[in-house]
Amino acid sequence: MGSTWRLLQLADSGFPTGGFAHSGGLEAAVQQGEVRGAPELRRFVRELLWQAGHGGLPLVSAAHGEPSELPALDARAEAFLSNHVANRASRTQGRAFLDTCARIFPSPVAPLREAARAQGLRFHHAPVFGAVLRTLDVERTDAQRLFLSLTLRGTLSAAVRLGIVGTHESHQLQHQATPLLDTVLEQCAGLGVDALAQPSPLLDLLGSTHDRLYSRLFLS
């Protein structure tokens, strides 16, 4: 039962991991004219969730299954994320997530953080996320669901702050995305790291322009 409460705490929008400082490439897509309103946002969310399923979930799953493999999986993420903006965002979010969890759940997570520091990890988000949730005794399927859910929620929150949709509409979109979340989870939950893929190259390309935007609200 304790793991259920921890899962709910991790899912809380007030959990201080800094994820809301990132738009997942949405800000760049807006400034490039690819996303102007709710219809384009739905398309963007669909592409982003498939990217999370194929490019992130295998690392989450592998690290959850064997946290001792975190250094190798972190190196795999470093090689896979060739987009410098996505790579930097992954490292920033992973470090923030691990540091926050180590402070809030010191007994189970602090040793993981110290080992990661000693091994010189880059702290990529997906493998760190999987290893931390395993350490917190959260079931693998719940960890996978949470990873996809947080990806969706973070992007929709960014959409609200960018003025694309309002708060109520963003939650309607989140609810409407439930079948998509189920489909992505069903198709990607069993993928191994050898299946890592970039299914949306346009999304990756747009995100890589973030540093060159005239003005920026988000870090990525």
Side-chain angles (χ1 to χ4, degrees), residues 98-216:
L98 181 57
D99 286 347
T100 296
C101 289
R103 292 188 184 99
I104 295 173
F105 313 108
S107 180
V109 181
L112 177 67
R113 179 179 62 171
E114 294 311 310
R117 287 177 172 176
Q119 292 162 334
L121 266 63
R122 294 179 180 270
F123 301 96
H124 280 287
H125 183 241
V128 164
F129 187 92
V132 168
L133 265 68
R134 173 63 182 270
T135 303
L136 294 174
D137 294 324
V138 174
E139 294 292 333
R140 171 176 155 156
T141 302
D142 287 336
Q144 293 169 327
R145 286 197 182 101
L146 181 61
F147 180 77
L148 293 175
S149 177
L150 292 177
T151 299
L152 173 61
R153 190 187 70 192
T155 301
L156 292 176
S157 173
V160 172
R161 283 176 285 166
L162 288 166
I164 303 169
V165 293
T167 304
H168 289 89
E169 190 173 10
S170 76
H171 280 278
Q172 289 173 347
L173 290 172
Q174 185 170 354
H175 170 65
Q176 292 165 4
T178 299
L180 175 60
L181 287 166
D182 286 337
T183 301
V184 173
L185 181 64
E186 179 182 356
Q187 295 193 23
C188 301
L191 296 178
V193 292
D194 288 340
L196 279 171
Q198 167 57 274
S200 182
L202 179 59
L203 191 83
D204 192 54
L205 181 62
L206 288 170
S208 70
T209 68
H210 185 85
D211 289 349
R212 299 195 299 273
L213 298 179
Y214 178 74
S215 60
R216 297 187 295 271

Side-chain angles (χ1 to χ4, degrees), residues 56-70 73 127 130-131 134 140 144 191-193:
L57 211 56
L59 292 164
V60 173
S61 304
H64 187 280
E66 190 52 72
S68 65
E69 290 297 310
L70 183 56
L73 295 169
R134 173 63 182 270
R140 171 176 155 156
Q144 293 169 327
L191 296 178
V193 292

